[in-house]
Every structure is written in C-alpha cells, then in structure tokens.
PDB file of all heavy atoms in Angstrom:
ATOM      1  N   GLY A   1       6.529   0.172   7.225  1.00 74.00           N
ATOM      2  CA  GLY A   1       7.596  -0.438   8.001  1.00 74.00           C
ATOM      3  C   GLY A   1       8.613   0.544   8.538  1.00 74.00           C
ATOM      4  O   GLY A   1       9.216   0.317   9.576  1.00 74.00           O
ATOM      5  N   CYS A   2       8.831   1.648   7.831  1.00 69.00           N
ATOM      6  CA  CYS A   2       9.812   2.665   8.231  1.00 69.00           C
ATOM      7  C   CYS A   2      11.174   2.056   8.550  1.00 69.00           C
ATOM      8  O   CYS A   2      11.825   2.431   9.528  1.00 69.00           O
ATOM      9  CB  CYS A   2       9.306   3.465   9.422  1.00 69.00           C
ATOM     10  SG  CYS A   2       7.859   4.440   9.056  1.00 69.00           S
ATOM     11  N   THR A   3      11.574   1.097   7.761  1.00 69.00           N
ATOM     12  CA  THR A   3      12.868   0.454   7.958  1.00 69.00           C
ATOM     13  C   THR A   3      13.330  -0.144   6.638  1.00 69.00           C
ATOM     14  O   THR A   3      12.647  -0.015   5.626  1.00 69.00           O
ATOM     15  CB  THR A   3      12.780  -0.631   9.065  1.00 69.00           C
ATOM     16  OG1 THR A   3      14.078  -1.104   9.352  1.00 69.00           O
ATOM     17  CG2 THR A   3      11.881  -1.775   8.664  1.00 69.00           C
ATOM     18  N   LYS A   4      14.473  -0.816   6.650  1.00 69.00           N
ATOM     19  CA  LYS A   4      14.960  -1.473   5.443  1.00 69.00           C
ATOM     20  C   LYS A   4      13.981  -2.551   5.019  1.00 69.00           C
ATOM     21  O   LYS A   4      13.365  -3.216   5.856  1.00 69.00           O
ATOM     22  CB  LYS A   4      16.332  -2.101   5.695  1.00 69.00           C
ATOM     23  CG  LYS A   4      17.420  -1.099   5.918  1.00 69.00           C
ATOM     24  CD  LYS A   4      18.722  -1.823   6.130  1.00 69.00           C
ATOM     25  CE  LYS A   4      19.275  -1.382   7.468  1.00 69.00           C
ATOM     26  NZ  LYS A   4      20.327  -2.204   7.971  1.00 69.00           N
ATOM     27  N   LEU A   5      13.844  -2.741   3.725  1.00 72.00           N
ATOM     28  CA  LEU A   5      12.880  -3.690   3.184  1.00 72.00           C
ATOM     29  C   LEU A   5      13.056  -5.084   3.775  1.00 72.00           C
ATOM     30  O   LEU A   5      12.086  -5.762   4.090  1.00 72.00           O
ATOM     31  CB  LEU A   5      13.006  -3.738   1.654  1.00 72.00           C
ATOM     32  CG  LEU A   5      11.762  -4.099   0.861  1.00 72.00           C
ATOM     33  CD1 LEU A   5      10.559  -3.284   1.273  1.00 72.00           C
ATOM     34  CD2 LEU A   5      12.011  -3.941  -0.617  1.00 72.00           C
ATOM     35  N   ASP A   6      14.300  -5.518   3.971  1.00 77.00           N
ATOM     36  CA  ASP A   6      14.560  -6.859   4.509  1.00 77.00           C
ATOM     37  C   ASP A   6      14.096  -7.006   5.957  1.00 77.00           C
ATOM     38  O   ASP A   6      13.876  -8.117   6.433  1.00 77.00           O
ATOM     39  CB  ASP A   6      16.054  -7.188   4.433  1.00 77.00           C
ATOM     40  CG  ASP A   6      16.527  -7.319   2.990  1.00 77.00           C
ATOM     41  OD1 ASP A   6      15.682  -7.484   2.087  1.00 77.00           O
ATOM     42  OD2 ASP A   6      17.753  -7.243   2.770  1.00 77.00           O
ATOM     43  N   ASP A   7      13.972  -5.878   6.683  1.00 78.00           N
ATOM     44  CA  ASP A   7      13.611  -5.928   8.100  1.00 78.00           C
ATOM     45  C   ASP A   7      12.106  -5.813   8.344  1.00 78.00           C
ATOM     46  O   ASP A   7      11.668  -5.835   9.496  1.00 78.00           O
ATOM     47  CB  ASP A   7      14.323  -4.798   8.860  1.00 78.00           C
ATOM     48  CG  ASP A   7      15.829  -4.979   8.874  1.00 78.00           C
ATOM     49  OD1 ASP A   7      16.293  -6.116   8.640  1.00 78.00           O
ATOM     50  OD2 ASP A   7      16.536  -3.986   9.112  1.00 78.00           O
ATOM     51  N   ILE A   8      11.315  -5.664   7.296  1.00 80.00           N
ATOM     52  CA  ILE A   8       9.878  -5.474   7.467  1.00 80.00           C
ATOM     53  C   ILE A   8       9.197  -6.802   7.758  1.00 80.00           C
ATOM     54  O   ILE A   8       9.356  -7.769   7.027  1.00 80.00           O
ATOM     55  CB  ILE A   8       9.251  -4.800   6.223  1.00 80.00           C
ATOM     56  CG1 ILE A   8       9.806  -3.378   6.079  1.00 80.00           C
ATOM     57  CG2 ILE A   8       7.729  -4.779   6.311  1.00 80.00           C
ATOM     58  CD1 ILE A   8       9.401  -2.673   4.822  1.00 80.00           C
ATOM     59  N   ASP A   9       8.435  -6.827   8.841  1.00 84.00           N
ATOM     60  CA  ASP A   9       7.648  -7.999   9.214  1.00 84.00           C
ATOM     61  C   ASP A   9       6.321  -7.892   8.463  1.00 84.00           C
ATOM     62  O   ASP A   9       5.437  -7.137   8.854  1.00 84.00           O
ATOM     63  CB  ASP A   9       7.427  -8.009  10.728  1.00 84.00           C
ATOM     64  CG  ASP A   9       6.615  -9.189  11.218  1.00 84.00           C
ATOM     65  OD1 ASP A   9       5.928  -9.843  10.399  1.00 84.00           O
ATOM     66  OD2 ASP A   9       6.659  -9.449  12.432  1.00 84.00           O
ATOM     67  N   GLU A  10       6.200  -8.632   7.362  1.00 84.00           N
ATOM     68  CA  GLU A  10       5.031  -8.494   6.490  1.00 84.00           C
ATOM     69  C   GLU A  10       3.730  -8.902   7.169  1.00 84.00           C
ATOM     70  O   GLU A  10       2.688  -8.306   6.916  1.00 84.00           O
ATOM     71  CB  GLU A  10       5.243  -9.272   5.192  1.00 84.00           C
ATOM     72  CG  GLU A  10       6.275  -8.601   4.316  1.00 84.00           C
ATOM     73  CD  GLU A  10       6.401  -9.249   2.957  1.00 84.00           C
ATOM     74  OE1 GLU A  10       5.503  -9.987   2.544  1.00 84.00           O
ATOM     75  OE2 GLU A  10       7.423  -8.993   2.298  1.00 84.00           O
ATOM     76  N   SER A  11       3.766  -9.912   8.023  1.00 87.00           N
ATOM     77  CA  SER A  11       2.517 -10.303   8.694  1.00 87.00           C
ATOM     78  C   SER A  11       2.045  -9.175   9.607  1.00 87.00           C
ATOM     79  O   SER A  11       0.851  -8.889   9.687  1.00 87.00           O
ATOM     80  CB  SER A  11       2.689 -11.607   9.469  1.00 87.00           C
ATOM     81  OG  SER A  11       3.626 -11.465  10.502  1.00 87.00           O
ATOM     82  N   ARG A  12       2.994  -8.497  10.262  1.00 86.00           N
ATOM     83  CA  ARG A  12       2.629  -7.345  11.099  1.00 86.00           C
ATOM     84  C   ARG A  12       2.112  -6.191  10.248  1.00 86.00           C
ATOM     85  O   ARG A  12       1.181  -5.483  10.628  1.00 86.00           O
ATOM     86  CB  ARG A  12       3.869  -6.885  11.870  1.00 86.00           C
ATOM     87  CG  ARG A  12       3.646  -6.822  13.334  1.00 86.00           C
ATOM     88  CD  ARG A  12       4.913  -6.492  14.054  1.00 86.00           C
ATOM     89  NE  ARG A  12       4.654  -5.283  14.804  1.00 86.00           N
ATOM     90  CZ  ARG A  12       5.580  -4.530  15.344  1.00 86.00           C
ATOM     91  NH1 ARG A  12       6.832  -4.837  15.191  1.00 86.00           N
ATOM     92  NH2 ARG A  12       5.261  -3.476  16.022  1.00 86.00           N
ATOM     93  N   MET A  13       2.743  -6.000   9.080  1.00 86.00           N
ATOM     94  CA  MET A  13       2.323  -4.938   8.176  1.00 86.00           C
ATOM     95  C   MET A  13       0.876  -5.162   7.735  1.00 86.00           C
ATOM     96  O   MET A  13       0.045  -4.262   7.789  1.00 86.00           O
ATOM     97  CB  MET A  13       3.233  -4.885   6.953  1.00 86.00           C
ATOM     98  CG  MET A  13       2.844  -3.815   5.945  1.00 86.00           C
ATOM     99  SD  MET A  13       3.679  -3.992   4.362  1.00 86.00           S
ATOM    100  CE  MET A  13       2.737  -5.301   3.616  1.00 86.00           C
ATOM    101  N   TRP A  14       0.561  -6.391   7.306  1.00 89.00           N
ATOM    102  CA  TRP A  14      -0.797  -6.688   6.852  1.00 89.00           C
ATOM    103  C   TRP A  14      -1.794  -6.614   8.000  1.00 89.00           C
ATOM    104  O   TRP A  14      -2.918  -6.158   7.819  1.00 89.00           O
ATOM    105  CB  TRP A  14      -0.852  -8.049   6.148  1.00 89.00           C
ATOM    106  CG  TRP A  14      -0.252  -7.953   4.786  1.00 89.00           C
ATOM    107  CD1 TRP A  14       0.952  -8.436   4.376  1.00 89.00           C
ATOM    108  CD2 TRP A  14      -0.806  -7.280   3.648  1.00 89.00           C
ATOM    109  NE1 TRP A  14       1.182  -8.111   3.068  1.00 89.00           N
ATOM    110  CE2 TRP A  14       0.116  -7.396   2.592  1.00 89.00           C
ATOM    111  CE3 TRP A  14      -1.985  -6.582   3.426  1.00 89.00           C
ATOM    112  CZ2 TRP A  14      -0.118  -6.856   1.333  1.00 89.00           C
ATOM    113  CZ3 TRP A  14      -2.218  -6.035   2.174  1.00 89.00           C
ATOM    114  CH2 TRP A  14      -1.287  -6.170   1.150  1.00 89.00           C
ATOM    115  N   ASP A  15      -1.382  -7.016   9.180  1.00 88.00           N
ATOM    116  CA  ASP A  15      -2.247  -6.908  10.350  1.00 88.00           C
ATOM    117  C   ASP A  15      -2.555  -5.440  10.630  1.00 88.00           C
ATOM    118  O   ASP A  15      -3.700  -5.073  10.915  1.00 88.00           O
ATOM    119  CB  ASP A  15      -1.573  -7.567  11.557  1.00 88.00           C
ATOM    120  CG  ASP A  15      -2.458  -7.559  12.785  1.00 88.00           C
ATOM    121  OD1 ASP A  15      -3.624  -8.014  12.683  1.00 88.00           O
ATOM    122  OD2 ASP A  15      -1.990  -7.107  13.854  1.00 88.00           O
ATOM    123  N   SER A  16      -1.540  -4.582  10.529  1.00 85.00           N
ATOM    124  CA  SER A  16      -1.736  -3.140  10.735  1.00 85.00           C
ATOM    125  C   SER A  16      -2.666  -2.551   9.691  1.00 85.00           C
ATOM    126  O   SER A  16      -3.545  -1.743  10.015  1.00 85.00           O
ATOM    127  CB  SER A  16      -0.392  -2.410  10.686  1.00 85.00           C
ATOM    128  OG  SER A  16       0.447  -2.860  11.698  1.00 85.00           O
ATOM    129  N   LEU A  17      -2.470  -2.953   8.438  1.00 88.00           N
ATOM    130  CA  LEU A  17      -3.349  -2.461   7.374  1.00 88.00           C
ATOM    131  C   LEU A  17      -4.792  -2.881   7.615  1.00 88.00           C
ATOM    132  O   LEU A  17      -5.726  -2.095   7.418  1.00 88.00           O
ATOM    133  CB  LEU A  17      -2.880  -2.975   6.010  1.00 88.00           C
ATOM    134  CG  LEU A  17      -1.685  -2.258   5.399  1.00 88.00           C
ATOM    135  CD1 LEU A  17      -1.144  -3.038   4.209  1.00 88.00           C
ATOM    136  CD2 LEU A  17      -2.061  -0.843   4.983  1.00 88.00           C
ATOM    137  N   GLU A  18      -4.968  -4.126   8.063  1.00 89.00           N
ATOM    138  CA  GLU A  18      -6.323  -4.618   8.323  1.00 89.00           C
ATOM    139  C   GLU A  18      -6.958  -3.859   9.481  1.00 89.00           C
ATOM    140  O   GLU A  18      -8.113  -3.442   9.390  1.00 89.00           O
ATOM    141  CB  GLU A  18      -6.274  -6.118   8.624  1.00 89.00           C
ATOM    142  CG  GLU A  18      -7.648  -6.749   8.652  1.00 89.00           C
ATOM    143  CD  GLU A  18      -7.589  -8.269   8.611  1.00 89.00           C
ATOM    144  OE1 GLU A  18      -6.484  -8.845   8.571  1.00 89.00           O
ATOM    145  OE2 GLU A  18      -8.661  -8.870   8.621  1.00 89.00           O
ATOM    146  N   LYS A  19      -6.205  -3.647  10.561  1.00 88.00           N
ATOM    147  CA  LYS A  19      -6.732  -2.918  11.720  1.00 88.00           C
ATOM    148  C   LYS A  19      -7.081  -1.479  11.370  1.00 88.00           C
ATOM    149  O   LYS A  19      -7.999  -0.907  11.939  1.00 88.00           O
ATOM    150  CB  LYS A  19      -5.721  -2.952  12.865  1.00 88.00           C
ATOM    151  CG  LYS A  19      -5.652  -4.306  13.546  1.00 88.00           C
ATOM    152  CD  LYS A  19      -4.609  -4.313  14.642  1.00 88.00           C
ATOM    153  CE  LYS A  19      -4.557  -5.673  15.311  1.00 88.00           C
ATOM    154  NZ  LYS A  19      -3.458  -5.771  16.273  1.00 88.00           N
ATOM    155  N   ALA A  20      -6.330  -0.894  10.430  1.00 85.00           N
ATOM    156  CA  ALA A  20      -6.592   0.478  10.011  1.00 85.00           C
ATOM    157  C   ALA A  20      -7.692   0.561   8.957  1.00 85.00           C
ATOM    158  O   ALA A  20      -8.090   1.646   8.543  1.00 85.00           O
ATOM    159  CB  ALA A  20      -5.312   1.115   9.468  1.00 85.00           C
ATOM    160  N   GLY A  21      -8.175  -0.603   8.508  1.00 88.00           N
ATOM    161  CA  GLY A  21      -9.228  -0.624   7.493  1.00 88.00           C
ATOM    162  C   GLY A  21      -8.716  -0.307   6.097  1.00 88.00           C
ATOM    163  O   GLY A  21      -9.484   0.141   5.247  1.00 88.00           O
ATOM    164  N   LEU A  22      -7.434  -0.550   5.852  1.00 87.00           N
ATOM    165  CA  LEU A  22      -6.831  -0.196   4.562  1.00 87.00           C
ATOM    166  C   LEU A  22      -6.380  -1.394   3.741  1.00 87.00           C
ATOM    167  O   LEU A  22      -5.896  -1.231   2.627  1.00 87.00           O
ATOM    168  CB  LEU A  22      -5.631   0.731   4.786  1.00 87.00           C
ATOM    169  CG  LEU A  22      -5.959   2.099   5.372  1.00 87.00           C
ATOM    170  CD1 LEU A  22      -4.686   2.827   5.755  1.00 87.00           C
ATOM    171  CD2 LEU A  22      -6.768   2.912   4.386  1.00 87.00           C
ATOM    172  N   LYS A  23      -6.528  -2.596   4.270  1.00 87.00           N
ATOM    173  CA  LYS A  23      -6.016  -3.774   3.582  1.00 87.00           C
ATOM    174  C   LYS A  23      -6.655  -3.933   2.198  1.00 87.00           C
ATOM    175  O   LYS A  23      -5.960  -4.119   1.200  1.00 87.00           O
ATOM    176  CB  LYS A  23      -6.257  -5.031   4.420  1.00 87.00           C
ATOM    177  CG  LYS A  23      -5.678  -6.280   3.790  1.00 87.00           C
ATOM    178  CD  LYS A  23      -5.895  -7.496   4.671  1.00 87.00           C
ATOM    179  CE  LYS A  23      -5.368  -8.738   3.979  1.00 87.00           C
ATOM    180  NZ  LYS A  23      -5.696  -9.947   4.710  1.00 87.00           N
ATOM    181  N   GLU A  24      -7.976  -3.847   2.125  1.00 88.00           N
ATOM    182  CA  GLU A  24      -8.662  -4.011   0.829  1.00 88.00           C
ATOM    183  C   GLU A  24      -8.264  -2.920  -0.148  1.00 88.00           C
ATOM    184  O   GLU A  24      -8.115  -3.182  -1.345  1.00 88.00           O
ATOM    185  CB  GLU A  24     -10.173  -4.022   1.033  1.00 88.00           C
ATOM    186  CG  GLU A  24     -10.663  -5.281   1.729  1.00 88.00           C
ATOM    187  CD  GLU A  24     -12.165  -5.279   1.967  1.00 88.00           C
ATOM    188  OE1 GLU A  24     -12.860  -4.344   1.506  1.00 88.00           O
ATOM    189  OE2 GLU A  24     -12.634  -6.217   2.624  1.00 88.00           O
ATOM    190  N   LYS A  25      -8.066  -1.711   0.350  1.00 87.00           N
ATOM    191  CA  LYS A  25      -7.662  -0.608  -0.520  1.00 87.00           C
ATOM    192  C   LYS A  25      -6.283  -0.895  -1.128  1.00 87.00           C
ATOM    193  O   LYS A  25      -6.079  -0.742  -2.331  1.00 87.00           O
ATOM    194  CB  LYS A  25      -7.630   0.708   0.274  1.00 87.00           C
ATOM    195  CG  LYS A  25      -7.207   1.900  -0.532  1.00 87.00           C
ATOM    196  CD  LYS A  25      -8.240   2.267  -1.555  1.00 87.00           C
ATOM    197  CE  LYS A  25      -7.883   3.558  -2.242  1.00 87.00           C
ATOM    198  NZ  LYS A  25      -8.733   3.828  -3.372  1.00 87.00           N
ATOM    199  N   VAL A  26      -5.342  -1.330  -0.302  1.00 85.00           N
ATOM    200  CA  VAL A  26      -3.994  -1.634  -0.794  1.00 85.00           C
ATOM    201  C   VAL A  26      -4.038  -2.787  -1.786  1.00 85.00           C
ATOM    202  O   VAL A  26      -3.371  -2.750  -2.817  1.00 85.00           O
ATOM    203  CB  VAL A  26      -3.044  -1.946   0.385  1.00 85.00           C
ATOM    204  CG1 VAL A  26      -1.701  -2.467  -0.111  1.00 85.00           C
ATOM    205  CG2 VAL A  26      -2.839  -0.697   1.235  1.00 85.00           C
ATOM    206  N   GLU A  27      -4.843  -3.796  -1.491  1.00 85.00           N
ATOM    207  CA  GLU A  27      -4.964  -4.934  -2.400  1.00 85.00           C
ATOM    208  C   GLU A  27      -5.544  -4.529  -3.751  1.00 85.00           C
ATOM    209  O   GLU A  27      -5.270  -5.166  -4.765  1.00 85.00           O
ATOM    210  CB  GLU A  27      -5.843  -6.021  -1.773  1.00 85.00           C
ATOM    211  CG  GLU A  27      -5.208  -6.703  -0.593  1.00 85.00           C
ATOM    212  CD  GLU A  27      -6.158  -7.648   0.129  1.00 85.00           C
ATOM    213  OE1 GLU A  27      -7.383  -7.505  -0.007  1.00 85.00           O
ATOM    214  OE2 GLU A  27      -5.666  -8.538   0.834  1.00 85.00           O
TER     215      GLU A  27
END
C-alpha cells in the first residue's frame, strides 16, 4: 500500500497480489 494502514484499499491490494501471482504465497 505504501501509505497509512487506514488508507489501504484491501480489495485493490489483494487484486494486485493475485495479478502478481503472489496471493497464495501470502496466504
């Protein structure tokens, strides 16, 4: 997110992780 925790858009974060192929690794 590179921002304050309250400002992080989690759905965008998970979408980014999925597009990068890292979602399963993080989970």
Side-chain angles (χ1 to χ4, degrees):
C2 295
T3 188
K4 292 181 237 165
L5 208 50
D6 293 343
D7 294 341
I8 295 173
D9 180 342
E10 289 187 18
S11 63
R12 234 175 122 195
M13 179 193 78
W14 285 106
D15 183 52
S16 298
L17 282 168
E18 191 166 1
K19 286 178 180 173
L22 295 171
K23 183 178 177 187
E24 290 178 5
K25 179 69 173 171
V26 171
E27 291 172 339

